[in-house]
Amino acid sequence: MELEALRSIYEGDDCFKELNPVTFQYRVGDHGDSKAFLIEVSWPETYPEMAPVINMNAFFNNSISSAVKQNITAKLQEQVEANLGTAMMYTLFEYAKDNKEQLMENHQPINNAVTSSGTDNATMTSNAASSVKKRNKKEQLTKAQKRKIAERTDHRGELPRGWNWVDVIKHLYNKPCDLLSLIIH
């Protein structure tokens, strides 16, 4: 019953995702928002008498510290305890959405990259320069493409004289009447 209600409520909402009939994800905030997070909730067999499992370990949450994740999970667990025995998924998702700022108040975005010292900066700069050179590198040709180019060129790699000329003689030969009629008139 609750599953059908969730499907109808969140139909077309890109924040809600049903992974399977007992596991759901809900994104609180927009993709570009630094305070956005993703809640994954799984129902045990005896749900709603038993509390659902709340998971914050999704890849989307990598920039959130474990302390903030634990805080969010604790606040959601309080809501679970208050609503135990009733359908609570909509309540949990709406609570998280309404209290996003409060849940993320201690959030400091984590940079997963290793911090670098002064000597590492020179290395990073040279790596960036080499990656720019790689991007500017010419596309590699296949053997068939190279063979086709070689067949069109002479031994010096130059195209033969007149390779793109129109065959004037053949053209005039096919249309002699037109030329003759132009000369007579």
Side-chain angles (χ1 to χ4, degrees):
M1 184 82 147
E2 182 178 7
L3 179 59
E4 293 170 4
L6 286 173
R7 286 177 179 160
S8 66
I9 291 170
Y10 293 113
E11 181 180 0
D13 187 353
D14 63 337
C15 293
F16 178 78
K17 185 175 183 182
E18 180 182 344
L19 300 179
N20 60 47
V22 295
T23 307
F24 310 94
Q25 287 183 341
Y26 191 80
R27 186 183 75 242
V28 178
D30 295 327
H31 280 290
D33 188 2
S34 65
K35 293 192 175 190
F37 59 93
L38 187 99
I39 306 167
E40 185 173 302
V41 182
S42 300
W43 292 346
E45 288 184 29
T46 56
Y47 173 82
E49 285 75 33
M50 204 170 160
V53 178
I54 300 172
N55 183 3
M56 294 285 296
N57 293 328
F59 181 77
F60 188 84
N61 296 333
N62 277 352
S63 65
I64 302 173
S65 69
S66 59
V68 173
K69 289 180 190 177
Q70 289 172 353
N71 179 43
I72 293 170
T73 305
K75 298 282 187 180
L76 292 174
Q77 286 295 342
E78 290 175 10
Q79 292 298 311
V80 167
E81 296 300 321
N83 293 300
L84 205 57
T86 61
M88 67 182 87
M89 297 302 296
Y90 177 77
T91 307
L92 284 177
F93 295 152
E94 290 302 307
Y95 172 81
K97 196 163 53 169
D98 293 341
N99 297 294
K100 178 181 109 174
E101 293 300 320
Q102 178 189 356
L103 294 171
M104 296 293 284
E105 66 186 349
N106 296 326
H107 172 61
Q108 298 296 325
I110 296 174
N111 186 1
N112 289 333
V114 177
T115 57
S116 58
S117 64
T119 57
D120 290 339
N121 284 339
T123 307
M124 291 176 73
T125 306
S126 67
N127 287 344
S130 67
S131 68
V132 169
K133 287 179 185 175
K134 287 180 184 177
R135 275 189 243 133
N136 293 338
K137 190 176 178 181
K138 212 168 144 183
E139 251 186 66
Q140 296 292 323
L141 298 176
T142 64
K143 285 184 179 181
Q145 290 170 325
K146 290 177 184 177
R147 191 178 310 116
K148 194 171 186 176
I149 291 171
E151 288 171 358
R152 281 192 269 160
T153 60
D154 61 6
H155 67 279
R156 290 177 287 170
E158 296 176 1
L159 294 170
R161 185 169 183 243
W163 68 274
N164 61 350
W165 293 357
V166 176
D167 190 356
V168 178
I169 309 284
K170 187 176 182 182
H171 178 72
L172 292 175
Y173 182 73
N174 289 337
K175 306 254 179 179
C177 298
D178 292 339
L179 187 61
L180 206 50
S181 65
L182 287 174
I183 295 172
I184 296 174
H185 291 295

